[in-house]
Amino acid sequence: QSALTQPASVSGSPGQSITISCTGTSSDVGGYDYVSWYQQHPDKAPKLIIYDVNNRPSGVSNRFSGSKSGNTASLTISGLQAEDEADYYCGSFASSSTLVVFGGGTKLTVL
Amino acid sequence: EVQLVESGGGLVQPGGSLRLSCAASGFTFSSSPNWMCWVRQAPGKGPEWLANIKPDGSVKYYVDSVKGRFTISRDNAKNSLYLQMNSLRGEDTAVYYCARESSGRSLDYWGQGSLVTVSS
């Protein structure tokens, strides 16, 4: 059972926007502005797409954006494209010996 | 270009041991703030952070489920990260990734992964 809670699946049509939520506690998501998001295509390693809640690494499309309110963080993907179909995981710094916790993942289907 | 390449995975019997290696290139491995970590992902599950190590190797943290069984280490002269895994159990079966930690403990570079299967 993952520390952070994500919906199992979301879907959207090309061009639409979708939002994936990630709910934690005050010991992780709610306590720090250190939420990250990862995209994982089948049989590939996860790829960082958002760090520190709402920052994009160099080379990541500006169609990806992040936000946080209380103990819940969100990833929004605008202008959905077929290549966005993947699994998405949130991660957060945590104030425990487990310094980093992850969500169970959300499968995005582009219809 | 940053590259992380894991090796050492395979099939091992319950109670056995395995040592994973991760060869790093494309960045100054030994310099601050390049903490390194190991993360695993069981089939169909989310990633699980296991352990990390400070650039000079002086500080290490572990998730409770592997404390006392797994040991993380690094050799800065060889630009390499290691994970010694002892007393392996079936639930340790997963793809193991090495990764570089960045701002806010985000993981900005990952290796391709090494499959560890614990089974008799």
Side-chain angles (χ1 to χ4, degrees):
Chain A
Q1 190 167 344
S2 299
L4 307 181
T5 301
Q6 299 179 232
S9 63
V10 297
S11 63
S13 299
Q16 288 186 331
S17 295
I18 62 94
T19 297
I20 299 171
S21 63
C22 169
T23 302
T25 68
S26 58
S27 296
D28 38 66
V29 173
Y32 311 90
D33 288 334
Y34 291 145
V35 176
S36 51
W37 289 90
Y38 304 86
Q39 177 191 62
Q40 186 176 34
H41 287 108
D43 298 321
K44 298 291 187 183
K47 173 190 174 185
L48 179 67
I49 56 173
I50 295 288
Y51 68 96
D52 295 353
V53 177
N54 57 11
N55 292 280
R56 284 187 312 275
S58 174
V60 173
S61 171
N62 59 8
R63 298 186 298 104
F64 295 92
S65 62
S67 63
K68 192 188 84 165
S69 178
N71 294 338
T72 298
S74 298
L75 171 71
T76 297
I77 308 174
S78 59
L80 270 179
Q81 299 179 359
E83 68 211 46
D84 298 333
E85 187 162 290
D87 293 324
Y88 291 84
Y89 297 95
C90 60
S92 174
F93 174 79
S95 58
S96 66
S97 60
T98 303
L99 292 183
V100 179
V101 290
F102 289 97
T106 299
K107 181 175 182 58
L108 168 62
T109 300
V110 180
L111 302 171
Chain B
E1 177 193 5
V2 173
Q3 280 199 315
L4 301 171
V5 180
E6 300 95 341
S7 59
L11 175 64
V12 61
Q13 291 189 339
S17 298
L18 213 55
R19 188 197 197 206
L20 301 181
S21 299
C22 172
S25 61
F27 65 103
T28 307
F29 183 72
S30 59
S31 72
S32 180
N34 291 321
W35 287 68
M36 298 295 296
C37 69
W38 288 96
V39 176
R40 70 184 176 187
Q41 188 172 25
K45 303 292 186 182
E48 179 185 21
W49 181 93
L50 298 178
N52 71 351
I53 184 168
K54 196 177 177 182
D56 64 1
S58 63
V59 179
K60 305 171 187 181
Y61 294 97
Y62 296 90
V63 69
D64 287 346
S65 60
V66 306
K67 261 180 206 173
R69 298 190 302 126
F70 291 10
T71 302
I72 189 172
S73 62
R74 63 194 296 163
D75 184 337
N76 288 341
K78 295 182 178 180
N79 287 347
S80 292
L81 178 73
Y82 306 100
L83 185 68
Q84 177 66 44
M85 304 184 293
N86 299 329
S87 303
L88 284 162
R89 309 164 180 164
E91 55 264 38
D92 295 318
T93 294
V95 175
Y96 285 71
Y97 296 98
C98 66
R100 189 178 79 170
E101 293 189 359
S102 185
S103 179
R105 300 293 179 190
S106 62
L107 308 184
D108 62 350
Y109 288 97
W110 299 59
Q112 86 286 355
S114 184
L115 177 62
V116 173
T117 303
V118 183
S119 175
S120 54

